[in-house]
Amino acid sequence: MRNRERGLRFCVYCVLLLELTNAACGFSSPLITDLDGNSENKQLLHRRLKRSWVWNQFFVLEEYTGTDPLYVGKLHSDMDKGDGSIEYILSGDGAGTMFTIDDTTGDIHAIQKLDREERSQYTLRAQALDRRTRRPMEPVSEFIIKIQDINDNEPKFLDGPYTASVPEMSPVGTSIIQVSATDADDPTYGSSARVMYSILQGQPYFSVDSKTGIIRTALTNMDREAREYYEVIIQAKDMGGQLGGLAGTTTVNVTLSDVNDNPPRFPQKHYQMNVLESSPVNSTVGRVLAMDLDEGINAEMKYSIIDGDGMDMFDVSTDPTYQVGVITVKKPLNFENKKSYTLKIEGANLHLEVRFLSLGPFRDTTSVHINVEDVDEPPVFESNFYFVEISEDADLGTTIQIVSAKDPDATNNSIRYSIDRNSDPGRYFYVDITTGALMTARPLDREEVLWHNITILAMEMNNPSQIGSVPVTIKVLDVNDNAPIFTKFYETFMCENVKAGQLIQTVSAIDQDDPQEGQHIYYSLAPEAVNNPNFTLRDNQDNTAWILTRRSGFSQAEQSTFQIPILIADNGQPMLSSTSTLTIQVCSCDDDGDIMSCNAESYTLPISLSRGALIAILACIFVLLVLILLILSMRRHRKKPYTIDEDDNVHENIVRYDDEGGGEEDTEAFDIAAMWNPREAHVGKSRQDMQPEIESLSRYVPQTCMMNNNVHSYMLAKLYEADTDVCSPPFDSLQTYMFEGEGSVAQSLSSLQSLSTDSDQSYDYLTDWGPRFKKLAEMYGAKDNNGSL
C-alpha cells in the first residue's frame, strides 16, 4: 500500500491456542515524519497513515512446563527493514520478569510459569525506537496478554468436613444438608469448572443430588438406638463428571437425633425395700428406675403412686438428673402400728409423639413392698408442752404438775424422770423419778423470777441412751407479800414564809406486787402524827399524795427540821403497809420564794473536829478490825485434824473413832420427831459454795417403791436447809434414821445380825493376797494353839 508520505508499518503475529492462524489488521495513529528524512529543514505535514495490523490482545496457555521460553507473539513495524536499526521496547505488567522481547526481532516470550488462577491477564506497552537517534518510530501502544485456562484445579469443599443431623425414623428423601465444591478453573471456558457430585461411602443409607449436592436419606426406619453415627464421603468431579476430570472429596458426619419411639419399661416388676420407723419425714426410702432407650426430653419421666396401702405414708418424686423415682417418707412411721406397706408406682413419658403412639403404651408400672424396721425409740410424753401456774407462796414439796411418758416400743420399758439442770440452774424444782410428779424444791418469788422454763427428761431404765424430753413453762402467780415503799428518797425544803395550806411535796410509792385488779396505794399520816399541828396529807387517789402545811410562821431558829411519819398501804389481800418518814427542812428564802440558806448542822462537821482527826479515827477503827479478824483466824486454825497411824499406806491403817452412836434408843443424838414436821426447816441465805444434786435415776429401785409423802417433804426441806446454811461443814456426816426402804436388791446392809450365824467363814486366802492385806490376814486368819489370832 502506497502513500505520499512514507508510512510506518507495524505488523503483529500472535499464536492463538492452535485455532488462531492470522491476526487482524487496522489503521495506525497519526505519525509526524520528515518527507525527505530531515526533520530540521522540511515542512511538517500532518496526515493520517494506515497501520499494517490492528491488535489489542495475545493469548497464551497457562502452566507451560517446557524448558525453553514460551513464544507469545511478535511485534513488527513497517519501518523495520531488517537491518537492526529499529529497537523494540516492552514495558508494563510483568515486563522483564514474566515477559521479555527481542529488541531486534520483536519476538515476545514468557520466561515464567503462568497460572491463570493467580493472574488471568497482563497489560503491557510496546514502542519502536530508532536505535541510533533514540527517536520513537511508533507511538507507545498498549496491549493485553490473556492467560488461557486449562483444567489444572480439582474441585474443593471449602466448608468441609460437614456435620449434620436428621431425626431417626425419618422417611426416605428427607433432606439432611447441602454440600458445595468450588473449582478454581475458568467457568466460561470449556467444562473445567462444571462439577458433578456423587457418594463414595454411606450407601445405602444416604444419597446425594449430582447437581445440587443435597444429601438425603435413602432408607426407612433408621433407628438411633441401633446405630447413631454415620460417616458419608461425597465426591465432586469437574469436566461434568467425565473421564479425565479432576475430583475432590469431603466427609459428612451424620448423626441420627432421638425421637420418642421407645416406651419406658421397669426392669423389675417387684421391689423390696426397708425403712427405719425413726426415719424423718422427707427422708429417702429407695429408688426405682423405668428404663427408656431414648434420651433427652424423650426420656423424661414422671413417677406417681397409683395404688397401695402406703399412699398416705409415702411419696415419690422424679430426679430430673437421672430420671429415677425417689420414694420418700410422707408421714411419721410407727412399727408398732403397721409393719409393712405396698405401693404401686407408675412411670410415664412426659413428651409423646403422635406418629409413634402405636408403639406404646408409653408408661409402665411396678410394685414396691416396704418393710418398717423397729428401732428403740425414746420415751414419748403424753403432751408436747406443759403450762403450769403456781402461787409464789407455795410450800416446799408442793406438787404442781404430774408429767407422764411411756415407751412407744413393744417392750414398754420402765421410765425414770429427771430435770435438765441446764434449764433449771436455780434448782427451784424437783421431779419424782418414778411418778413424774413435779414439785417445788425452793421457795418461789414472783418478783425475782416470774417465768420458769424447764425441761423434763424421761429415760428408759434398760437403755439410758434413749431419752425423751418435754418443755414445761411455769408461771409464778403473785401474792401480796410486798408492802409499798417510796419510789425514791425525798428531800423536802420549806421556806419560813410558807403559807397555810401550801403544797410543799408530792410523794409517790411503788409496790412490787402485781394484783389482778391493779395497784392502788393509800396514803395517810401515821397514827402518832394524825393530829400533827404543822402538816397534813392529802391522798390524791392516783397513787400519789400531797404534803400540805397547816399553818404559817415557821422559824428556822425555833425548829429547822420536821419528821413526818407517813403510812403507805396497798389494796392487796391481806393488806400490807409500811411507814416511811419524810424529813422537812426549814430554809430561809427571799421574797420570790427562792431558798437562800438552810440549817445544815446535821450535814457538816463540828468546828472542833478537823478532817485530819476524822481520818485518824477511821484508821484506828480499821486497824482494830484487822486485829480482830487475825485473832479469829488463828483460833480457827488452832484445831488439829485427825491423825492416822505412822504407816504411810492408808489401806493398811485403821481409823478409830471414840464416839459411838447410841442406836435407836439414843434420842439425844437426833430428834426423830422433827421428821414428822418438815415445815420447821430453816430458810436462810443460799450457799454459793455448794449446789444441791438430786439423783434422778436408779436402776434398781422398782416402780412400785413409793416414798412416804411426809418423809419426802422432810427430805426436800432438809436438802434446802443444807444448801442455804452457810455454817454447814462441807465434809460428810452420818445421820441415823428410823425409816428403811423396802425391796432393795442388795438386801439389808446391817451388821447387827452378822454374828447370829453358826457357820464359820475361812479367811485364810487373805495371806495369799500380798503385804497389803497382811493386817487383815492377821485379824481374820486362823487361830493358833493359844487361841490368839
Side-chain angles (χ1 to χ4, degrees):
M1 189 173 166
R2 298 180 178 178
N3 287 330
R4 270 179 43 188
E5 302 290 336
R6 177 177 295 177
L8 178 64
R9 181 173 295 172
F10 192 20
C11 297
V12 180
Y13 301 93
C14 61
V15 179
L16 301 176
L17 296 176
L18 300 179
E19 68 261 22
L20 296 179
T21 57
N22 297 314
C25 297
F27 294 93
S28 63
S29 58
L31 298 176
I32 301 176
T33 56
D34 194 343
L35 294 178
D36 57 1
N38 189 354
S39 61
E40 295 180 357
N41 299 322
K42 301 298 180 179
Q43 183 180 2
L44 296 178
L45 297 178
H46 296 274
R47 297 295 300 272
R48 187 174 186 85
L49 301 180
K50 184 179 180 182
R51 176 170 290 183
S52 300
W53 300 95
V54 177
W55 54 273
N56 61 358
Q57 61 183 3
F58 296 109
F59 293 91
V60 61
L61 290 174
E62 65 171 335
E63 303 294 343
Y64 174 70
T65 59
T67 58
D68 297 330
L70 177 63
Y71 181 75
V72 178
K74 184 180 181 66
L75 298 179
H76 184 73
S77 175
D78 289 345
M79 301 181 64
D80 187 0
K81 302 301 183 180
D83 55 359
S85 61
I86 301 299
E87 180 182 358
Y88 297 97
I89 298 176
L90 188 66
S91 63
D93 296 339
T97 59
M98 301 295 294
F99 303 96
T100 60
I101 188 171
D102 190 319
D103 59 355
T104 302
T105 64
D107 292 335
I108 301 174
H109 291 83
I111 60 175
Q112 296 288 342
K113 183 178 179 181
L114 302 176
D115 189 353
R116 189 198 68 83
E117 286 71 37
E118 293 182 1
R119 189 164 184 173
S120 60
Q121 66 181 20
Y122 295 85
T123 302
L124 296 98
R125 292 179 296 277
Q127 189 176 17
L129 300 177
D130 188 308
R131 192 181 296 275
R132 183 176 60 83
T133 62
R134 308 303 296 173
R135 185 166 60 93
M137 302 303 292
E138 291 283 353
V140 177
S141 298
E142 185 175 87
F143 65 95
I144 296 174
I145 298 178
K146 286 190 175 182
I147 311 302
Q148 188 68 40
D149 182 50
I150 64 173
N151 190 18
D152 60 340
N153 291 280
E154 73 278 2
K156 294 183 179 180
F157 293 91
L158 302 181
D159 298 329
Y162 296 87
T163 301
S165 65
V166 61
E168 61 175 331
M169 313 299 288
S170 296
V172 175
T174 301
S175 177
I176 301 175
I177 192 174
Q178 182 178 14
V179 297
S180 177
T182 302
D183 196 321
D185 293 327
D186 188 0
T188 63
Y189 181 76
S191 300
S192 298
R194 190 160 66 92
V195 178
M196 300 294 288
Y197 299 95
S198 62
I199 184 168
L200 300 182
Q201 177 180 311
Q203 294 174 333
Y205 307 103
F206 304 96
S207 63
V208 62
D209 190 289
S210 61
K211 295 182 179 180
T212 62
I214 297 177
I215 301 175
R216 292 182 171 89
T217 58
L219 284 181
T220 58
N221 299 329
M222 296 177 64
D223 192 359
R224 183 197 67 86
E225 288 72 31
R227 183 177 178 182
E228 184 175 3
Y229 300 102
Y230 295 86
E231 184 179 77
V232 181
I233 298 178
I234 302 296
Q235 175 184 269
K237 191 174 183 180
D238 59 14
M239 299 299 293
Q242 298 178 1
L243 185 64
L246 302 179
T249 60
T250 188
T251 301
V252 181
N253 295 310
V254 181
T255 302
L256 297 183
S257 60
D258 185 59
V259 297
N260 192 7
D261 59 339
N262 293 278
R265 292 293 179 263
F266 283 101
Q268 299 177 224
K269 289 300 181 182
H270 180 76
Y271 289 86
Q272 187 79 21
M273 298 181 183
N274 297 321
V275 61
L276 297 176
E277 65 170 332
S278 60
S279 299
V281 176
N282 295 326
S283 61
T284 300
V285 178
R287 292 173 171 83
V288 293
L289 173 63
M291 304 296 295
D292 192 332
L293 298 178
D294 298 320
E295 63 180 10
I297 63 172
N298 298 314
E300 290 184 0
M301 304 289 297
K302 180 181 179 181
Y303 296 90
S304 59
I305 301 175
I306 61 175
D307 197 7
D309 58 358
M311 296 181 64
D312 296 333
M313 303 303 295
F314 299 94
D315 199 0
V316 63
S317 60
T318 304
D319 185 342
T321 302
Y322 302 102
Q323 298 299 320
V324 298
V326 181
I327 303 174
T328 56
V329 179
K330 186 177 182 180
K331 292 182 179 180
L333 304 174
N334 193 324
F335 173 82
E336 289 70 29
N337 293 340
K338 190 172 178 61
K339 297 178 176 59
S340 65
Y341 297 89
T342 300
L343 304 176
K344 186 176 182 181
I345 297 180
E346 178 186 76
N349 280 144
L350 291 177
H351 307 280
L352 303 180
E353 295 191 27
V354 177
R355 60 193 180 112
F356 298 120
L357 291 180
S358 59
L359 303 177
F362 286 82
R363 62 183 66 244
D364 196 16
T365 59
T366 186
S367 63
V368 180
H369 185 77
I370 301 176
N371 293 320
V372 181
E373 296 181 352
D374 187 26
V375 296
D376 191 1
E377 300 175 276
V380 178
F381 285 88
E382 293 181 352
S383 176
N384 295 327
F385 176 81
Y386 290 94
F387 176 76
V388 182
E389 292 181 342
I390 182 174
S391 177
E392 63 178 324
D393 62 347
D395 296 331
L396 293 179
T398 300
T399 300
I400 61 177
Q401 178 70 45
I402 296 179
V403 297
S404 178
K406 65 177 181 179
D407 183 6
D409 299 319
T411 55
N412 194 18
N413 293 323
S414 300
I415 305 298
R416 291 295 177 261
Y417 302 93
S418 63
I419 296 178
D420 184 358
R421 287 308 174 189
N422 293 325
S423 64
D424 184 27
R427 308 298 175 91
Y428 287 96
F429 302 97
Y430 167 77
V431 64
D432 188 272
I433 62 174
T434 57
T435 63
L438 181 62
M439 296 168 282
T440 58
R442 288 185 57 187
L444 303 177
D445 189 355
R446 189 201 68 86
E447 289 72 34
E448 180 181 353
V449 181
L450 174 60
W451 294 91
H452 294 270
N453 295 293
I454 66 174
T455 300
I456 295 182
L457 307 177
M459 178 187 298
E460 293 184 13
M461 289 194 61
N462 294 337
N463 189 0
S465 62
Q466 296 297 330
I467 301 176
S469 62
V470 65
V472 179
T473 298
I474 302 171
K475 181 181 180 181
V476 181
L477 302 179
D478 183 53
V479 296
N480 193 26
D481 58 348
N482 292 279
I485 57 175
F486 278 151
T487 57
K488 63 178 182 178
F489 173 74
Y490 291 99
E491 188 176 9
T492 306
F493 299 95
M494 180 184 65
C495 295
E496 291 179 318
N497 57 356
V498 68
K499 297 179 181 180
Q502 183 174 339
L503 173 65
I504 61 173
Q505 183 67 59
T506 300
V507 296
S508 62
I510 186 174
D511 191 345
Q512 294 184 1
D513 296 322
D514 186 18
Q516 295 182 355
E517 62 275 8
Q519 287 188 355
H520 187 78
I521 300 177
Y522 303 95
Y523 301 89
S524 64
L525 294 177
E528 63 271 18
V530 172
N531 297 322
N532 190 304
N534 300 313
F535 304 96
T536 185
L537 182 144
R538 178 185 298 174
D539 192 341
N540 297 324
Q541 301 299 318
D542 60 355
N543 295 336
T544 64
W546 288 352
I547 307 300
L548 307 173
T549 58
R550 279 191 172 183
R551 66 179 180 86
S552 60
F554 291 91
S555 174
Q556 182 179 1
E558 294 178 0
Q559 187 174 352
S560 60
T561 304
F562 293 90
Q563 305 289 337
I564 302 178
I566 299 177
L567 181 65
I568 309 172
D570 59 19
N571 61 332
Q573 294 294 332
M575 178 180 290
L576 298 180
S577 63
S578 65
T579 302
S580 300
T581 301
L582 178 66
T583 301
I584 303 174
Q585 188 171 356
V586 181
C587 303
S588 298
C589 303
D590 55 14
D591 296 337
D592 296 331
D594 297 331
I595 297 176
M596 298 176 58
S597 64
C598 297
N599 184 7
E601 291 181 357
S602 59
Y603 299 96
T604 60
L605 295 175
I607 300 177
S608 60
L609 187 60
S610 63
R611 189 178 300 275
L614 181 60
I615 294 175
I617 293 174
L618 294 177
C620 292
I621 294 173
F622 178 75
V623 172
L624 289 176
L625 290 175
V626 172
L627 291 176
I628 293 173
L629 292 176
L630 182 61
I631 293 173
L632 292 176
S633 177
M634 293 177 63
R635 293 184 60 184
R636 185 174 181 180
H637 290 80
R638 186 175 300 173
K639 296 180 179 180
K640 295 182 180 180
Y642 289 110
T643 60
I644 61 177
D645 293 340
E646 56 185 8
D647 294 336
D648 293 335
N649 192 343
V650 69
H651 297 285
E652 299 179 0
N653 297 331
I654 299 177
V655 180
R656 297 179 176 85
Y657 297 92
D658 294 332
D659 185 14
E660 183 177 358
E664 297 179 354
E665 298 178 357
D666 186 0
T667 58
E668 296 180 359
F670 190 83
D671 187 7
I672 196 64
M675 296 183 64
W676 309 108
N677 192 11
R679 304 304 181 203
E680 295 181 358
H682 174 68
V683 177
K685 185 177 180 181
S686 225
R687 292 180 59 183
Q688 302 297 326
D689 61 338
M690 188 174 181
Q691 293 293 333
E693 187 65 32
I694 302 175
E695 293 295 335
S696 60
L697 296 176
S698 175
R699 296 177 58 90
Y700 304 106
V701 178
Q703 294 185 12
T704 57
C705 179
M706 301 295 295
M707 185 177 291
N708 185 277
N709 289 335
N710 291 334
V711 176
H712 186 266
S713 300
Y714 169 75
M715 294 296 294
L716 290 177
K718 286 300 180 181
L719 176 64
Y720 180 73
E721 179 181 357
D723 292 342
T724 56
D725 187 4
V726 296
C727 299
S728 177
F731 45 83
D732 296 335
S733 60
L734 176 65
Q735 300 288 351
T736 303
Y737 299 95
M738 292 181 62
F739 181 86
E740 183 175 356
E742 298 177 354
S744 173
V745 296
Q747 299 181 355
S748 177
L749 300 179
S750 174
S751 61
L752 297 178
Q753 299 178 355
S754 60
L755 298 178
S756 60
T757 177
D758 296 334
S759 62
D760 294 332
Q761 184 175 358
S762 175
Y763 297 96
D764 295 340
Y765 59 86
L766 293 176
T767 58
D768 300 331
W769 285 11
R772 291 182 177 271
F773 299 92
K774 180 179 179 181
K775 288 189 176 183
L776 287 177
E778 294 176 354
M779 295 174 60
Y780 294 96
K783 297 181 180 181
D784 54 15
N785 296 330
N786 298 327
S788 61
L789 293 176

